[in-house]
Amino acid sequence: MTLLWLLGLVLCIAALAYVRTSLLNAGLGVGAYLLAMTLLGPAPWVIDLVLWVVFLAIAIPLNIPDVRRNQISAPLFSWFKKVLPPLSDTEQEALDAGTVWWDGELFSGRPDWGKLHSFPIPRLSAEEQAFLDGPVEELCRMTNEWEVTTERQDLSPETWSYIKDNGFFGLIIPKEYNGKGFSAYAHSQIAMKLASRSGDLGSTVMVPNSLGPAELLMHYGTEEQKQHYLPRLAAGQEIPCFALTAPEAGSDAGSMTDKGIICKGQWEGEEVIGLRVTWEKRYITLGPVATVLGLAFKAYDPDHLLGDEESLGITLALIPTDTEGVEIGRRHFPLNAAFMNGPNSGKDVFIPMSYLIGGQERIGQGWMMLMNCLSVGRSISLPAGGTGAAKMASMTTGAYASIRRQFNLPIGEFEGIQEALARIGGNTYVMNATRTMTAGAVDLGEKPSVLSAVVKYHVTERMRQTVSDAMDVHGGKGICMGPSNYLGRAYQSVPISITVEGANILTRSMMIFGQGAIRCHPFVLKEMQATQNEDQNAALTEFDDLLFRHIGFSLSNASASLLLGLTGGRLADTPDYPATQAYYRQLSRLAAAFATVTDCTMLMLGGELKRRERISARLGDVLSYLYLASATLKHFDDQGRHEEDLPFVQWGVEDLLFKIEQSLHEVLLNFPDPRMGCLLRVVVFPLGRRLTPPADAVGAEVARRLMTPGAARDRLLDGCYQSTDPNDVTGLVNTTLEKVLLADPIEARLAKAIHKGELEHDSDADMLNVAAESGVISPDEAELVREARIARRAVIDVDDFSKEDMDPTARKASASPAKTRKSAKKADNNPAKTAPSEQEAVLENQPFPPPEDKA
């Protein structure tokens, strides 16, 4: 009985912590329980006395503000200032950038699911839908991937003209500057559809509408800069690029050596104060054809022409590429991709102050400007591109698994293929849900700096998995390059999206949790700010309040983790839809566990956490998986809870839940203090790790939905370019799927007749004639089967080339050395004019020239 009373005391404390009662009320509640235990319980008086002494020793000081502040908070305040991680200026500006959204709810350990579902469903306006159905559809139709990547190494002149004439470079520019003024969701839908047709096409349109001069000008430009540049950018009269990455400063932009020296110089016949800028940049998308160059560099004022400070910080400028001294280099050739990308440089290029984005008053604010804009662009472009590639892979691979036969069965009927199809379909659903929810957040006015890193990393990584699985299913069809290969280029270019806008290794190991733990935690950033208050008394008072709220917060989450773990999450307040309620319960439990482990990790490691990248990466994974699962469940709810979509939801969420548990397990295995790790394991996994990956039966259902046209497949592929032209590389797959499915019942009747010996024939073609003449099938059915067989063979065929086609010397012999070696530095910036010479320069060392059109 004494043990039961003691267990009741523990549960009483846990319950008070779980409901997040105040410190005073918690003390009164525990005191009342101890009084009842003393009067009614069977425990010896010694135990009661010890419990009362411990209780009063804790409760009294904590509830007397002056005692608590001087005896407890002051020493902790001094310790906290010592263990705070040192922050560079660029890190501080990154922390200050953007906003906290649903990531804050996840860090709270108590996500409000009602709040999640109250966020508006992203929708397209009539104008945006018309643009998707019209110009976007037409631009996809007129783009041929093989022609772009092999024959031209560039978009065609007609495609460039269409992009400019139809305002594709002005999607985000407001209407008052002649732009489209589209929503973030529309921007995402457009980029996704273009990328589902061609990664090069998607990249070309994404960059001007993402981190580029237009967005920077919209937020920080002077009115004169906006009036001059935005209409020209919207009309395609200017082609923009933005130069940030340098050879020695990629992810660590703070170490860039590019510099601008404040000085006096001649400009348009007058002596003015400006900057003499020297830089070297690379990997700059649209750089080879840009007419206006956005540039990041560090500004210095050694002669103090502007003030006392000498080092002014990262600054942004907008420089016409025909400015004297600007050197536009030749093209990079990233994994056979054809989008324009290349280096540029300048030495002592004099620019006036009017070239600085935002003018002279914005000197030194460049990193802040970039961080705020990057969080928006990274939330849209790369997630849209990755999802577009995944939808294309889902469309073609699901169809191919029905079309391709082995051992007289569609290959999609084999469990090994179904396993890959399940990952393709499940990952695509999760990616699309995450992309949609994040774009919706931007439309709500959010600048989700942490979540933009989450979606950039996880959508591109899942795209990598999806395209790789698609290649495995296609086998020889996928690896033989040629006009009929719709997967090869996507597979080749996967590492590009993994690399750009922050390499994925860095994003996972340093940015997601490293930034999120400070930016999104309810107390940590405020506590750090309190230590910077010069009024020590005010700082200590503020810190004292934050500290004990933080302690209560941590105890509450630990209690929630324990109680929800013991009850399977049944104490959590969740939506009551039966098919998904268990998922919300598990997410509530795991969110509390994440918050608990986060607080303990930060307490144990302090500033050392920056260097413990593996632990940081695993905790970042937990945060990310919580967000992806939240988005998946919201997407299912927003789409109307269609029962036929449940296999996609089940596979996606169960995969994420299993990975959350696995990541937490790995954190605790490698916890800095093994004893604390063991204690945390009891709180986080009181009944052990119980979650499992998606069942094989769920994966089989996902595979069947990918292979069979229907409402669930249509919703999954919505927004993907879906050609119905049999002369198109993907249109052939789509039309053949319909023919094969119509012919399958007839093929089954034929097989049955052959098995019974009712059909005698010399060949397959003869068999169809005999079957039609004998009445086993009708002549129309025979023709349908014949067409399906021809179409099936066309789909599974691959391209081949002659010896002459494969001989690179043939290309070299026909190319003009003067043209192939010509620098692009002084080339005309019109892509339609530069394309041939650029194409020749890049293709000079290609393994084979473009084959003749044999279609």
Side-chain angles (χ1 to χ4, degrees), residues 473-615:
V473 173
H474 280 79
K477 170 70 176 179
I479 65 173
C480 291
M481 295 302 296
S484 61
N485 188 318
Y486 42 77
L487 270 179
R489 289 299 189 216
Y491 180 78
Q492 280 183 310
S493 60
V494 160
I496 296 174
S497 59
I498 302 300
T499 302
V500 299
E501 291 193 19
N504 273 9
I505 289 177
L506 171 99
T507 302
R508 174 176 179 259
S509 61
M510 293 181 66
M511 291 179 62
I512 294 176
F513 183 77
Q515 187 176 358
I518 298 174
R519 188 73 178 87
C520 305
H521 194 285
F523 299 105
V524 171
L525 183 58
K526 295 175 182 176
E527 289 166 342
M528 292 174 66
Q529 291 169 340
T531 64
Q532 298 171 5
N533 191 334
E534 295 181 359
D535 184 338
Q536 290 300 298
N537 289 328
L540 180 58
T541 300
E542 183 182 3
F543 181 80
D544 171 73
D545 176 64
L546 290 168
L547 174 65
F548 282 93
R549 287 168 58 197
H550 190 164
I551 293 172
F553 167 84
S554 300
L555 291 174
S556 173
N557 284 325
S559 300
S561 179
L562 178 65
L563 294 175
L564 293 175
L566 290 171
T567 62
R570 287 177 176 80
L571 295 178
D573 185 15
T574 61
D576 59 1
Y577 183 61
T580 56
Q581 189 173 40
Y583 298 146
Y584 287 102
R585 289 172 176 168
Q586 291 298 334
L587 286 174
S588 294
R589 173 178 76 87
L590 293 169
F594 167 66
T596 300
V597 174
T598 291
D599 271 330
C600 290
T601 304
M602 295 176 74
L603 176 65
M604 297 295 297
L605 291 177
E608 183 69 17
L609 183 60
K610 286 178 64 174
R611 289 173 287 278
R612 299 295 295 271
E613 293 179 16
R614 291 180 180 177
I615 287 181

Side-chain angles (χ1 to χ4, degrees), residues 245-258 280-283:
T245 304
E248 297 287 348
S251 300
D252 181 12
S255 67
M256 71 171 69
T257 57
D258 311 298
E280 182 187 1
K281 303 290 188 179
R282 62 180 180 179
Y283 311 146

Side-chain angles (χ1 to χ4, degrees), residues 338-358:
F339 66 92
M340 288 290 170
N341 187 277
N344 60 74
S345 61
K347 183 172 176 59
D348 293 332
V349 178
F350 184 79
I351 62 172
M353 287 292 183
S354 60
Y355 278 15
L356 300 183
I357 297 178

Side-chain angles (χ1 to χ4, degrees), residues 208-269:
N209 292 290
S210 182
L211 177 60
E215 187 172 9
L216 289 164
L217 287 172
M218 286 160 50
H219 289 93
Y220 304 108
T222 65
E223 190 57 38
E224 182 180 0
Q225 289 171 337
K226 293 177 184 178
Q227 292 291 346
H228 175 75
Y229 276 115
L230 291 180
R232 295 172 62 81
L233 289 167
Q237 294 172 298
E238 302 279 7
I239 299 178
C241 70
F242 192 85
L244 174 61
T245 304
E248 297 287 348
S251 300
D252 181 12
S255 67
M256 71 171 69
T257 57
D258 311 298
K259 60 184 179 180
I261 306 298
I262 308 293
C263 63
K264 294 181 180 180
Q266 291 294 315
W267 189 257
E268 296 181 348

